[in-house]
């Protein structure tokens, strides 16, 4: 009688982090340019002479660049060595940061476009590279979610980390430092050898898209990612306005709320990534994803009806953790189900999430304008409910 196949245990987080050191560092560095830009928006606008509103709009320009480049390049990510793709993306980040340090408005326009284009390729390449490092089992999914957890940790801690060095050398020095680190990492990835993978057929762009569409559950998974991102980013876009109107929180106090939300997202992503790849038959990622979305649906409805500040804060934590759980499950399932096409899948997913940021902010704003915060609640609940429907469909599809 043949013994059932065994699944290799997932390495511990610290062991995995050591193995993925350059990958995790590159993922963190990818978030720093726009973090510097957002943190020092006012002095940057004063230097450039373009006004805060005009300068702030460049972040949206970067998002459009991320959407366009991410959608165009995603199906091709599996045709090139991912470490070389990462090197090119990091070089773009370094070049853009160096240009941004000049402080000229035209340079900041190029800065925003190149950052958006670079990160749209860097992040899926890093997640796919991390997964490739650990094969095709649960460890691969865990490695990819560790990359996203590192990104969320960087987003939570980057503001104080860039504010302290700026006391010594200003925001220009921050961008120069980012450029130096990005160029150094680009050199590392350009010269390193990636894992030895089985030969893959060289297929065209449209063939790559059709091959991705043939993966069981890939379509609904990408829809979940887009809708979940739209719901969460729509909520975050007007979070400060909600706390100001309902509880009269000053910007300084609200910064603590933002840290609370970011911390819950980081912990949710980190813990859900491990839980979803623990090998439990009862709590497979498909089921955890549905549960996370149902909790997010209840939390977003309750949040906008919260009677007191402590209740609102508790639901803010719950929303961050539940959305992070869903994000970790989506990444895990794309890595597992898409196999050799995981780079393309993660690239399409990143482009879809870029679109979700715009959709969520736009629809949330429409809801707010028409019916105030209850209108925003209805819009975000509708997006989350639609994501639940696609998540249930993912559960009904047998994975490969």
């Amino acid at each position: 009688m043949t013994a059932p196949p065994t699944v290799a245990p997932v390495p511990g987080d610290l062991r995995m982090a050591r193995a993925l050191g350059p990958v995790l560092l590159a993922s963190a560095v990818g978030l720093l340019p726009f973090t510097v830009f957002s943190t020092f928006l006012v002095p940057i606008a004063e230097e450039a002479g373009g006004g805060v509103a005009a300068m702030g709009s460049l972040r949206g320009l970067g998002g459009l660049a991320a959407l366009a480049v991410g959608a165009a390049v995603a199906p091709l990510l599996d045709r090139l060595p991912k470490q070389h793709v990462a090197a090119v993306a990091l070089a773009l980040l370094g070049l853009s940061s160096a240009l941004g340090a000049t402080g000229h408005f035209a340079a900041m326009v190029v800065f925003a476009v190149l950052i958006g284009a670079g990160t749209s390729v860097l992040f899926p390449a890093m997640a796919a590279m991390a997964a490739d490092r650990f094969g095709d089992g649960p460890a691969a999914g865990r490695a990819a979610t560790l990359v996203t957890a590192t990104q969320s940790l960087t987003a939570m801690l980057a503001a104080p980390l860039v504010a302290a060095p700026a006391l010594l050398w200003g925001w220009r020095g921050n961008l120069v430092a980012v450029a130096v680190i990005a160029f150094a990492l680009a050199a590392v990835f350009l010269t390193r050898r990636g894992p030895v993978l089985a030969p893959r057929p060289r297929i065209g762009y449209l063939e790559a898209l059709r091959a991705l569409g043939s993966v069981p559950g890939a379509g609904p998974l990408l829809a979940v990612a887009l809708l979940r991102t739209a719901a969460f980013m729509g909520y975050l876009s007007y979070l400060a306005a909600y706390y100001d109107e309902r509880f009269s929180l000053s910007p300084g106090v609200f910064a603590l709320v933002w840290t609370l939300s970011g911390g819950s997202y980081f912990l949710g992503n980190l813990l859900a990534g491990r839980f979803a790849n623990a090998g439990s038959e009862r709590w497979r990622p498909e089921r955890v994803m549905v549960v996370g979305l149902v909790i997010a649906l209840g939390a977003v409805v309750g949040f906008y009806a919260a009677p007191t500040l402590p209740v609102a804060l508790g639901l803010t934590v719950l929303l961050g953790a539940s959305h992070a759980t869903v994000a970790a499950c989506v990444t895990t399932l794309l890595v597992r189900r898409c196999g050799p096409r995981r780079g393309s899948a993660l690239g399409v997913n990143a482009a879809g999430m870029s679109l979700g940021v715009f959709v969520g902010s736009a629809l949330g704003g429409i809801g707010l304008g028409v019916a105030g915060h209850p209108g925003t609640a209805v819009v975000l609940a509708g997006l989350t409910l639609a994501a639940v429907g696609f998540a249930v469909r993912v559960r009904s599809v047998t994975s490969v």
Side-chain angles (χ1 to χ4, degrees):
M1 184 175 183
T2 305
T6 59
V7 178
V10 178
D13 288 343
L14 290 179
R15 179 184 169 192
M16 188 173 281
R18 284 194 296 268
L20 297 174
V23 172
L24 299 182
L25 180 58
S27 298
V29 169
L31 288 174
L32 291 179
F34 266 145
T35 301
V36 174
F37 178 78
S38 300
T39 304
F40 300 98
L41 178 62
V42 174
I44 290 175
E46 291 176 351
E47 289 279 349
V52 172
M55 190 63 67
S57 67
L58 297 184
R59 182 67 184 266
L61 183 63
L64 290 175
L67 174 60
V69 174
V73 175
L76 308 178
L77 286 178
D78 293 312
R79 295 180 54 181
L80 299 169
K82 296 183 183 67
Q83 65 273 18
H84 293 168
V85 173
V88 172
L90 286 164
L92 285 178
L93 296 186
L95 176 61
S96 62
S97 297
L99 287 173
T102 66
H104 300 299
F105 186 82
M108 297 308 297
V109 172
V110 179
F111 165 88
V113 171
L114 291 183
I115 291 296
T119 54
S120 70
V121 177
L122 177 66
F123 292 150
M126 291 295 95
M129 190 187 305
D132 288 348
R133 175 71 173 75
F134 291 92
D136 295 315
R142 178 59 188 141
T145 59
L146 193 60
V147 170
T148 60
T150 300
Q151 292 168 5
S152 61
L153 176 63
T154 304
M156 181 180 68
L157 298 178
L161 289 178
V162 301
L167 296 176
L168 298 175
W169 53 42
W171 62 267
R172 295 176 189 270
N174 277 346
L175 288 180
V176 171
V178 171
V180 171
I181 296 172
F183 282 131
L185 284 170
V188 170
F189 284 111
L190 190 62
T191 57
R192 75 183 301 183
R193 297 183 62 184
V196 179
L197 304 175
R200 298 171 187 172
R202 295 182 61 84
I203 58 178
Y205 186 92
L206 294 179
E207 288 81 4
L209 283 178
R210 284 194 289 268
L212 180 59
S214 68
V215 174
L221 268 173
L222 294 171
V224 169
L226 189 155
L227 292 166
R228 181 213 67 78
T229 302
F232 192 55
M233 296 308 298
Y235 152 80
L236 289 179
S237 295
Y238 306 100
L239 188 62
Y242 172 82
Y243 272 102
D244 174 68
E245 180 180 321
R246 288 291 304 275
F247 305 110
S248 302
L249 295 190
S250 66
V253 176
F254 175 73
L256 299 176
V257 177
W258 193 262
T259 300
L260 183 69
S261 175
S264 65
Y265 191 94
F266 162 67
L267 290 176
N269 197 287
L270 181 69
L271 298 177
R274 171 155 287 279
F275 185 66
N277 290 283
S280 170
E281 286 297 321
R282 178 175 176 81
W283 292 104
R284 296 172 60 86
E286 294 88 345
R287 173 176 289 187
V288 176
M289 181 172 61
V290 173
V291 171
L293 283 168
V294 171
I295 293 174
L297 178 61
V300 75
V301 173
F303 174 76
Y304 286 99
T308 64
L309 179 59
V311 173
L313 292 174
L315 290 170
T316 288
V317 171
L318 191 59
L319 272 166
S322 59
H323 275 276
T325 296
V326 177
C329 290
V330 169
T331 299
T332 293
L333 290 170
L334 286 174
V335 167
R336 287 192 190 179
R337 294 190 176 201
C338 295
R341 306 183 192 99
R342 61 179 52 146
S344 299
L346 292 169
V348 173
N349 182 50
M353 290 193 297
S354 294
L355 177 60
V357 171
F358 289 99
V359 170
S361 297
L363 293 182
I366 292 173
L368 184 64
V370 171
H373 292 296
T376 302
V378 170
V379 169
L380 303 184
L383 290 169
T384 309
L385 184 61
V388 172
F390 281 105
V392 171
R393 184 177 174 188
V394 171
R395 284 198 63 192
S396 68
V397 178
T398 303
S399 63
V400 294

